[in-house]
Amino acid sequence: MSESATLVFLCFVAFMAGLLNSIGGGGAILKIPAMLLFGVTPQQAVAVTKFGGMFGHATALFAFARHGYVPYKPALIALPCSLVGAGIGSQCLMFIPPDLAGKIVAVVLPLVAFFLLFPWKNRKPAENIPSGRRFWIILPLTCFIVGIYDGAFGAAGATFLILGLHLFVRLDLVHANALSKVTSTVSCLSSTCVFLLNGQVLFFYAIPMAVTEMLGNVVGSRLAMLKGSRIVRVFMLVSVTLMFCSLIAKYFF
């Protein structure tokens, strides 16, 4: 395949990833394997993903904020925690063998699928704005831990965070999704800075893919707001299934 054809294909994948990211997360698992097929190293693939995700998540964040879905008080607490966590995770990636990183994610994903299918389906949110221990301890800790994972592996970080915010902080799914756009945007920004300092961002792919991912985020965020929590739940389940199958095939067969 020619370089131009490769770029067109990767831009299409980026659009689909943006669509998935804006609704339930997991778009990185579409982009990273696609780039690996064309000889991009895992570090470069994650770097390109984070560069595009920075703009894509920001676009979805703007759409959610314009319609009043972003809980700003929790966002102020979550933002620095995700920023620091993602920077730590991305720096750690430079020292972790790619095969080991992929196997870790593949083991974690069935646990996520279990949460999607069973414990949290019927859980009722306590309130849209957390308070007390959930605000000062659980919220920042959740964002920091997920930020480390997201900065290192770049796959399903938003999905894990939406789950954490819903299960432990007890935000409803739509507000958890909107808050995840705040943390995902700063997480991608922090990771991109780390990868830029290490010379891992391939701008030939990164810039066009960022544009098409932004378009996908616009479409996806509108779907989420129109259909509410139900479509968020469905797309989260689909994204985890795709990630699990892809990673098992890549790292264990």
Side-chain angles (χ1 to χ4, degrees):
M1 186 180 289
S2 68
E3 198 169 56
S4 298
T6 299
L7 181 59
V8 171
F9 173 75
L10 291 178
C11 284
F12 171 75
V13 172
F15 175 83
M16 299 304 297
L19 179 69
L20 199 57
N21 270 331
S22 66
I23 297 177
I29 202 60
L30 301 179
K31 292 189 293 182
I32 292 175
M35 285 184 279
L36 293 177
L37 289 174
F38 294 100
V40 178
T41 68
Q43 287 80 6
Q44 291 170 334
V46 174
V48 170
T49 295
K50 289 301 176 184
F51 180 86
M54 179 173 57
F55 297 100
H57 286 302
T59 302
L61 171 60
F62 176 77
F64 277 107
R66 188 176 61 181
H67 289 81
Y69 283 102
V70 177
Y72 289 100
K73 187 178 177 181
L76 291 176
I77 298 297
L79 190 151
C81 300
S82 296
L83 188 73
V84 174
I88 293 173
S90 294
Q91 191 59 53
C92 289
L93 179 63
M94 309 307 296
F95 305 102
I96 299 176
D99 285 345
L100 176 60
K103 289 177 180 178
I104 292 173
V105 177
V107 169
V108 169
L109 285 178
L111 300 178
V112 179
F114 176 80
F115 283 125
L116 283 169
L117 289 170
F118 295 102
W120 61 279
K121 248 185 177 181
N122 298 314
R123 182 158 190 176
K124 302 295 184 182
E127 54 195 64
N128 287 337
I129 303 299
S131 59
R133 185 179 62 180
R134 286 187 289 115
F135 183 81
W136 295 110
I137 300 176
I138 300 176
L139 174 63
L141 187 61
T142 300
C143 293
F144 179 71
I145 292 173
V146 174
I148 293 176
Y149 166 83
D150 192 37
F153 303 130
T159 303
F160 290 141
L161 185 60
I162 292 170
L163 279 173
L165 292 173
H166 181 68
L167 288 171
F168 306 124
V169 184
R170 299 189 67 185
L171 286 174
D172 66 86
L173 287 174
V174 174
H175 284 86
N177 193 13
L179 181 55
S180 78
K181 296 301 169 283
V182 176
T183 60
S184 295
T185 299
V186 299
S187 172
C188 287
L189 174 62
S190 179
S191 295
T192 297
C193 291
V194 171
F195 288 125
L196 282 171
L197 291 173
N198 287 277
Q200 298 297 319
V201 181
L202 303 177
F203 289 102
F204 177 77
Y205 295 134
I207 294 175
M209 290 176 69
V211 173
T212 52
E213 184 172 356
M214 288 172 64
L215 295 176
N217 271 280
V218 170
V219 175
S221 61
R222 289 180 179 176
L223 284 174
M225 287 182 287
L226 288 173
K227 300 299 182 179
S229 297
R230 182 177 180 181
I231 195 169
V232 173
R233 184 182 294 116
V234 170
F235 270 76
M236 286 172 67
L237 180 58
V238 170
S239 66
V240 169
T241 301
L242 289 173
M243 287 184 288
F244 175 68
C245 294
S246 298
L247 290 176
I248 288 296
K250 178 175 175 59
Y251 293 105
F252 291 95
F253 294 98

